Amino acid sequence: MLRAGEIPIVEDGLSELVKNGLASGNLEFVLGAAHAAKDCEFAFLCVPTPEGEDGQADLRYVEQAAKELAPVMPHESVVINKSTVPVGSTRVVERVMKRPDVRVVSNPEFLREGSAVHDFLHPDRVVVGADDQTAALRVAALYENINAPVVVTDASSAETIKYAANAFLATKISFVNAIAAICEGVGADVRDVMRGIGYDRRIGNEFLRPGPGWGGSCFPKDTLALLKIAERADYRFDLLQGVVEVNLQQFDRMASRISQAAGEGGTVAVWGLTFKALTDDLRDSPSLEIIDRLIAKGHSIRAYDPTVAKSLRGYPAVVVCDSEIAACEKSDVLAILTEWENFRWVDPSDVIHHVASRHVVDTRNLLDRSAWRTAGFTYQGVGR
Ligand code: UGA
């Protein structure tokens, strides 16, 4: 598929980038790390590091790639680790390769799914870490056409930067979700509260959107991995533990809100299954966390997501529908779980004749609540 320029995931701009690379001859796909790295000056390791036992990152794929590269890397070449790996893993790669003449450099990535191509070409910063500063500078030079500050540091600091960045962002969102709960209790609107604090440049106005809780293939795995790293470093990271707990609390709070609106055994129409919009990734999706809780409470689920056409693996009881309206058929509540832009533009008067009861729980504060209320629905958002 890749050789034919077909990209099997939803990622804005990636298909064009790959097609252009293939057409110009600058990009080629081959099988096997050794085949790809033969005669190269730089080899990037971009393999997954899934959650292993007790939350620690599983380094199996990193080690396997390092083993394959060891016999073929030219003298004085550089292996660049882009995978998210526990602090000290640069040394693991060095140990596995047993090639003291090949340098290993850490160069973590900060790409978001859905805007990965843009984030790569316009990064906020580039981080390069190595104990051999000459090797670090050689890697930094690869980015010379990219306009961004470059942080050159040692390998352990570069690896720590990656975890600290993701944990900090997760902390921001859990904080916002906690403030949203308080807003509901005191009659404030979290959106205005976040605008009010976001203009403070020390806080910044990004990553302040309340929601169903954070998910995806990075934050859940990386926060747990950092808790493990902290444990090994003999530090009780109660703050991060709290961030993870607030997130679980948010899944529970949103599931209870939807369940109550649906009534006992009621049918829930779900709009949005992916962990955020502009991706087809269902890994650790907050939507699935909430669906799990709703099924446990005895609800039936009808779901629609623009990127999920077939049935949901592992969820035989969830009926996957082919439109927003079809998902609402005879439902007792409509739950908005992912912030797909199309949902915003569905006319409530088109939905009204299909539902059994008129209730909306909007965990992304996406819909125009006055339009839905005017159409006769009860509407609950988050933190408003
Ligand atoms: C995240 C980081 O943002 C990237 O910088 C990092 O490179 C990447 O992980 C990684 O480690 O590979 P990503 O997992 O694609 O990127 O997703 P985000 O856009 O960060 O969103 C994560 C979750 O937080 C989603 O469930 C999203 O809906 C939620 N979120 C995000 C909110 O609830 N509120 C916000 O304001 C922002």
Short mmCIF file of all heavy atoms in Angstrom, two decimals, residues 84 109-114 119 125 162 166 169 173 177 206-219 222 275-277 284 286 339 364, ligand 1:
data_model
loop_
_atom_site.label_atom_id
_atom_site.label_comp_id
_atom_site.label_asym_id
_atom_site.label_seq_id
_atom_site.Cartn_x
_atom_site.Cartn_y
_atom_site.Cartn_z
N THR A 84 9.18 7.21 21.94
CA THR A 84 9.09 7.70 23.32
C THR A 84 9.57 6.60 24.25
O THR A 84 8.91 5.58 24.41
CB THR A 84 7.64 8.10 23.65
OG1 THR A 84 7.26 9.10 22.72
CG2 THR A 84 7.52 8.64 25.06
N GLU A 109 9.73 13.38 19.44
CA GLU A 109 8.80 14.09 18.56
C GLU A 109 7.64 14.64 19.40
O GLU A 109 7.29 14.08 20.42
CB GLU A 109 8.31 13.18 17.44
CG GLU A 109 7.67 11.87 17.89
CD GLU A 109 6.22 11.97 18.20
OE1 GLU A 109 5.62 12.99 17.80
OE2 GLU A 109 5.68 11.07 18.85
N PHE A 110 7.07 15.75 18.91
CA PHE A 110 5.95 16.38 19.63
C PHE A 110 4.75 16.55 18.70
O PHE A 110 3.98 17.50 18.81
CB PHE A 110 6.40 17.74 20.19
CG PHE A 110 7.61 17.62 21.07
CD1 PHE A 110 8.89 17.91 20.59
CD2 PHE A 110 7.49 17.17 22.38
CE1 PHE A 110 10.01 17.78 21.39
CE2 PHE A 110 8.61 17.03 23.20
CZ PHE A 110 9.88 17.35 22.71
N LEU A 111 4.60 15.63 17.75
CA LEU A 111 3.53 15.74 16.76
C LEU A 111 2.20 15.32 17.36
O LEU A 111 2.14 14.36 18.12
CB LEU A 111 3.82 14.82 15.56
CG LEU A 111 5.25 14.81 15.01
CD1 LEU A 111 5.35 13.85 13.85
CD2 LEU A 111 5.66 16.21 14.61
N ARG A 112 1.15 16.04 16.99
CA ARG A 112 -0.20 15.62 17.37
C ARG A 112 -0.81 14.84 16.22
O ARG A 112 -0.64 15.22 15.06
CB ARG A 112 -1.10 16.83 17.64
CG ARG A 112 -0.75 17.61 18.89
CD ARG A 112 -1.34 18.99 18.83
NE ARG A 112 -0.86 19.71 17.65
CZ ARG A 112 -1.31 20.90 17.26
NH1 ARG A 112 -2.27 21.49 17.94
NH2 ARG A 112 -0.82 21.49 16.19
N GLU A 113 -1.54 13.79 16.52
CA GLU A 113 -2.26 13.09 15.47
C GLU A 113 -3.26 14.06 14.86
O GLU A 113 -3.82 14.90 15.56
CB GLU A 113 -3.02 11.89 16.03
CG GLU A 113 -2.09 10.76 16.37
CD GLU A 113 -2.85 9.52 16.84
OE1 GLU A 113 -3.99 9.29 16.38
OE2 GLU A 113 -2.29 8.79 17.66
N GLY A 114 -3.45 13.94 13.57
CA GLY A 114 -4.41 14.83 12.90
C GLY A 114 -3.72 16.08 12.33
O GLY A 114 -4.16 16.62 11.34
N ASP A 119 2.74 19.89 12.23
CA ASP A 119 3.57 20.00 13.44
C ASP A 119 5.04 19.69 13.14
O ASP A 119 5.94 20.25 13.73
CB ASP A 119 3.08 19.05 14.54
CG ASP A 119 1.74 19.49 15.11
OD1 ASP A 119 1.28 20.59 14.77
OD2 ASP A 119 1.15 18.72 15.89
N ARG A 125 9.58 23.70 18.80
CA ARG A 125 11.02 23.53 19.10
C ARG A 125 11.46 22.16 18.60
O ARG A 125 10.63 21.26 18.37
CB ARG A 125 11.31 23.68 20.59
CG ARG A 125 11.00 22.52 21.53
CD ARG A 125 9.65 21.93 21.42
NE ARG A 125 9.16 21.32 22.64
CZ ARG A 125 7.94 20.81 22.74
NH1 ARG A 125 7.11 20.82 21.71
NH2 ARG A 125 7.55 20.27 23.87
N LYS A 162 10.36 14.84 26.77
CA LYS A 162 9.19 14.25 26.10
C LYS A 162 8.10 13.89 27.12
O LYS A 162 6.93 14.24 26.97
CB LYS A 162 9.63 13.00 25.32
CG LYS A 162 8.51 12.18 24.76
CD LYS A 162 7.75 12.94 23.70
CE LYS A 162 6.48 12.21 23.33
NZ LYS A 162 5.80 12.77 22.20
N ASN A 166 4.28 15.85 27.74
CA ASN A 166 2.98 15.19 27.68
C ASN A 166 2.27 15.21 29.04
O ASN A 166 1.06 15.42 29.11
CB ASN A 166 3.13 13.75 27.17
CG ASN A 166 3.07 13.70 25.65
OD1 ASN A 166 2.92 14.72 24.99
ND2 ASN A 166 3.20 12.50 25.08
N LEU A 169 0.82 18.67 29.65
CA LEU A 169 -0.40 18.92 28.86
C LEU A 169 -1.59 18.17 29.45
O LEU A 169 -2.70 18.71 29.54
CB LEU A 169 -0.16 18.51 27.40
CG LEU A 169 0.85 19.38 26.64
CD1 LEU A 169 1.20 18.76 25.29
CD2 LEU A 169 0.30 20.80 26.44
N ILE A 173 -5.24 19.68 31.08
CA ILE A 173 -6.62 19.29 30.75
C ILE A 173 -7.35 18.78 32.00
O ILE A 173 -8.52 19.11 32.21
CB ILE A 173 -6.65 18.22 29.64
CG1 ILE A 173 -5.88 18.70 28.42
CG2 ILE A 173 -8.08 17.90 29.24
CD1 ILE A 173 -5.60 17.60 27.40
N ASN A 177 -10.78 20.26 33.52
CA ASN A 177 -11.97 19.45 33.79
C ASN A 177 -12.40 19.57 35.25
O ASN A 177 -13.59 19.54 35.56
CB ASN A 177 -11.71 17.98 33.41
CG ASN A 177 -11.75 17.80 31.89
OD1 ASN A 177 -12.38 18.58 31.17
ND2 ASN A 177 -11.06 16.78 31.38
N GLU A 206 -3.89 27.66 25.03
CA GLU A 206 -4.13 26.37 24.37
C GLU A 206 -4.27 25.25 25.39
O GLU A 206 -3.78 25.35 26.51
CB GLU A 206 -2.99 26.07 23.41
CG GLU A 206 -3.14 26.91 22.15
CD GLU A 206 -2.19 26.48 21.08
OE1 GLU A 206 -2.25 25.31 20.66
OE2 GLU A 206 -1.39 27.33 20.66
N PHE A 207 -4.93 24.18 24.94
CA PHE A 207 -5.15 23.01 25.80
C PHE A 207 -5.94 23.37 27.05
O PHE A 207 -5.66 22.89 28.14
CB PHE A 207 -3.81 22.33 26.15
CG PHE A 207 -3.53 21.20 25.21
CD1 PHE A 207 -3.28 21.46 23.88
CD2 PHE A 207 -3.56 19.88 25.64
CE1 PHE A 207 -3.06 20.43 22.98
CE2 PHE A 207 -3.35 18.84 24.75
CZ PHE A 207 -3.09 19.12 23.43
N LEU A 208 -6.94 24.23 26.88
CA LEU A 208 -7.79 24.62 28.00
C LEU A 208 -9.24 24.23 27.72
O LEU A 208 -10.14 24.80 28.33
CB LEU A 208 -7.68 26.13 28.26
CG LEU A 208 -6.35 26.65 28.80
CD1 LEU A 208 -6.43 28.14 29.08
CD2 LEU A 208 -5.92 25.91 30.08
N ARG A 209 -9.46 23.27 26.80
CA ARG A 209 -10.84 22.89 26.50
C ARG A 209 -11.28 21.74 27.40
O ARG A 209 -10.62 20.69 27.42
CB ARG A 209 -10.98 22.44 25.04
CG ARG A 209 -10.84 23.55 24.01
CD ARG A 209 -11.19 23.02 22.61
NE ARG A 209 -10.61 21.72 22.35
CZ ARG A 209 -9.38 21.52 21.87
NH1 ARG A 209 -8.58 22.53 21.61
NH2 ARG A 209 -8.95 20.29 21.65
N PRO A 210 -12.38 21.94 28.16
CA PRO A 210 -12.87 20.80 28.94
C PRO A 210 -13.44 19.75 28.00
O PRO A 210 -13.74 20.04 26.85
CB PRO A 210 -13.97 21.42 29.80
CG PRO A 210 -14.43 22.61 29.04
CD PRO A 210 -13.26 23.11 28.25
N GLY A 211 -13.56 18.54 28.45
CA GLY A 211 -14.06 17.48 27.58
C GLY A 211 -14.44 16.25 28.37
O GLY A 211 -14.60 16.31 29.60
N PRO A 212 -14.52 15.12 27.67
CA PRO A 212 -14.93 13.88 28.35
C PRO A 212 -13.79 13.26 29.15
O PRO A 212 -13.96 12.22 29.78
CB PRO A 212 -15.31 12.97 27.18
CG PRO A 212 -14.49 13.45 26.03
CD PRO A 212 -14.35 14.94 26.22
N GLY A 213 -12.60 13.90 29.14
CA GLY A 213 -11.39 13.29 29.70
C GLY A 213 -10.42 13.12 28.55
O GLY A 213 -10.84 13.10 27.40
N TRP A 214 -9.11 13.05 28.84
CA TRP A 214 -8.14 12.90 27.76
C TRP A 214 -7.85 11.44 27.47
O TRP A 214 -7.99 10.57 28.33
CB TRP A 214 -6.84 13.67 28.04
CG TRP A 214 -6.34 13.61 29.46
CD1 TRP A 214 -6.56 14.56 30.42
CD2 TRP A 214 -5.55 12.58 30.07
NE1 TRP A 214 -5.95 14.18 31.60
CE2 TRP A 214 -5.33 12.98 31.41
CE3 TRP A 214 -5.01 11.37 29.64
CZ2 TRP A 214 -4.59 12.21 32.31
CZ3 TRP A 214 -4.29 10.60 30.53
CH2 TRP A 214 -4.08 11.01 31.85
N GLY A 215 -7.47 11.17 26.21
CA GLY A 215 -7.16 9.79 25.84
C GLY A 215 -6.18 9.77 24.68
O GLY A 215 -5.42 10.71 24.49
N GLY A 216 -6.22 8.69 23.90
CA GLY A 216 -5.33 8.55 22.76
C GLY A 216 -4.17 7.62 23.07
O GLY A 216 -4.07 7.07 24.16
N SER A 217 -3.29 7.50 22.09
CA SER A 217 -2.22 6.51 22.23
C SER A 217 -1.03 7.07 23.00
O SER A 217 -0.04 6.36 23.19
CB SER A 217 -1.77 6.04 20.85
OG SER A 217 -1.17 7.12 20.17
N CYS A 218 -1.08 8.33 23.42
CA CYS A 218 0.10 8.93 24.08
C CYS A 218 -0.10 9.29 25.54
O CYS A 218 0.60 8.78 26.41
CB CYS A 218 0.53 10.16 23.29
SG CYS A 218 0.85 9.79 21.57
N PHE A 219 -1.05 10.18 25.83
CA PHE A 219 -1.17 10.67 27.22
C PHE A 219 -1.38 9.55 28.24
O PHE A 219 -0.68 9.52 29.25
CB PHE A 219 -2.31 11.71 27.33
CG PHE A 219 -2.00 13.05 26.74
CD1 PHE A 219 -2.92 14.07 26.77
CD2 PHE A 219 -0.75 13.31 26.17
CE1 PHE A 219 -2.65 15.33 26.24
CE2 PHE A 219 -0.47 14.56 25.62
CZ PHE A 219 -1.42 15.56 25.66
N ASP A 222 1.91 7.55 28.44
CA ASP A 222 3.08 8.31 28.89
C ASP A 222 2.96 8.79 30.34
O ASP A 222 3.96 8.89 31.05
CB ASP A 222 3.34 9.49 27.95
CG ASP A 222 3.81 9.03 26.57
OD1 ASP A 222 4.12 7.83 26.42
OD2 ASP A 222 3.87 9.86 25.64
N PHE A 275 -10.57 9.28 19.54
CA PHE A 275 -10.15 9.96 20.79
C PHE A 275 -10.14 11.47 20.66
O PHE A 275 -10.11 12.18 21.65
CB PHE A 275 -8.80 9.42 21.28
CG PHE A 275 -7.58 10.00 20.63
CD1 PHE A 275 -6.88 11.03 21.24
CD2 PHE A 275 -7.12 9.53 19.41
CE1 PHE A 275 -5.74 11.58 20.66
CE2 PHE A 275 -5.99 10.07 18.82
CZ PHE A 275 -5.31 11.09 19.44
N LYS A 276 -10.18 11.95 19.41
CA LYS A 276 -10.37 13.37 19.13
C LYS A 276 -10.75 13.45 17.65
O LYS A 276 -10.72 12.42 16.95
CB LYS A 276 -9.12 14.19 19.43
CG LYS A 276 -7.91 13.80 18.58
CD LYS A 276 -6.74 14.74 18.85
CE LYS A 276 -5.59 14.43 17.93
NZ LYS A 276 -4.45 15.30 18.11
N ALA A 277 -11.07 14.64 17.16
CA ALA A 277 -11.46 14.78 15.75
C ALA A 277 -10.23 14.73 14.85
O ALA A 277 -9.09 14.81 15.33
CB ALA A 277 -12.20 16.10 15.56
N ASP A 284 -7.41 3.93 23.24
CA ASP A 284 -7.66 4.64 24.50
C ASP A 284 -8.56 5.85 24.31
O ASP A 284 -8.33 6.93 24.88
CB ASP A 284 -6.33 5.08 25.15
CG ASP A 284 -5.71 3.94 25.93
OD1 ASP A 284 -6.46 3.17 26.54
OD2 ASP A 284 -4.48 3.81 25.91
N PRO A 286 -11.53 8.28 24.93
CA PRO A 286 -12.46 8.59 26.02
C PRO A 286 -13.88 8.12 25.68
O PRO A 286 -14.64 7.71 26.55
CB PRO A 286 -12.41 10.12 26.12
CG PRO A 286 -11.09 10.49 25.53
CD PRO A 286 -10.79 9.47 24.48
N GLU A 339 -15.21 15.86 19.04
CA GLU A 339 -15.55 17.21 18.55
C GLU A 339 -15.49 17.32 17.02
O GLU A 339 -14.92 18.28 16.48
CB GLU A 339 -14.66 18.25 19.24
CG GLU A 339 -13.20 18.32 18.77
CD GLU A 339 -12.30 17.21 19.26
OE1 GLU A 339 -12.78 16.13 19.61
OE2 GLU A 339 -11.07 17.43 19.24
N ARG A 364 -18.27 17.96 24.76
CA ARG A 364 -17.25 18.80 24.12
C ARG A 364 -17.71 20.25 24.00
O ARG A 364 -17.03 21.06 23.33
CB ARG A 364 -16.91 18.27 22.73
CG ARG A 364 -16.38 16.84 22.69
CD ARG A 364 -14.90 16.80 22.97
NE ARG A 364 -14.38 15.44 22.82
CZ ARG A 364 -13.08 15.15 22.87
NH1 ARG A 364 -12.19 16.09 23.06
NH2 ARG A 364 -12.67 13.91 22.76
C1 UGA B 1 -0.14 14.32 22.16
C2 UGA B 1 0.65 15.63 22.28
O1 UGA B 1 -0.23 16.75 22.13
C3 UGA B 1 1.76 15.71 21.22
O2 UGA B 1 2.53 16.89 21.42
C4 UGA B 1 2.64 14.47 21.35
O3 UGA B 1 3.67 14.45 20.36
C5 UGA B 1 1.81 13.22 21.19
O4 UGA B 1 0.78 13.21 22.20
C6 UGA B 1 2.71 12.02 21.33
O5 UGA B 1 3.26 11.81 22.43
O6 UGA B 1 2.99 11.34 20.34
P1 UGA B 1 -2.11 13.43 20.54
O7 UGA B 1 -2.10 12.17 21.34
O8 UGA B 1 -2.18 13.35 19.06
O9 UGA B 1 -0.82 14.35 20.89
O10 UGA B 1 -3.41 14.24 21.01
P2 UGA B 1 -3.74 15.65 21.67
O11 UGA B 1 -4.15 16.61 20.65
O12 UGA B 1 -2.69 16.07 22.62
O13 UGA B 1 -5.04 15.26 22.53
C7 UGA B 1 -4.97 14.27 23.56
C8 UGA B 1 -6.30 14.16 24.28
O14 UGA B 1 -6.57 15.35 25.02
C9 UGA B 1 -7.49 13.97 23.32
O15 UGA B 1 -8.38 13.03 23.90
C10 UGA B 1 -8.13 15.36 23.28
O16 UGA B 1 -9.50 15.36 22.98
C11 UGA B 1 -7.87 15.84 24.70
N1 UGA B 1 -7.86 17.33 24.82
C12 UGA B 1 -6.90 18.07 24.19
C13 UGA B 1 -8.82 17.95 25.61
O17 UGA B 1 -9.71 17.28 26.20
N2 UGA B 1 -8.78 19.31 25.76
C14 UGA B 1 -7.84 20.08 25.14
O18 UGA B 1 -7.86 21.32 25.33
C15 UGA B 1 -6.88 19.45 24.35
#
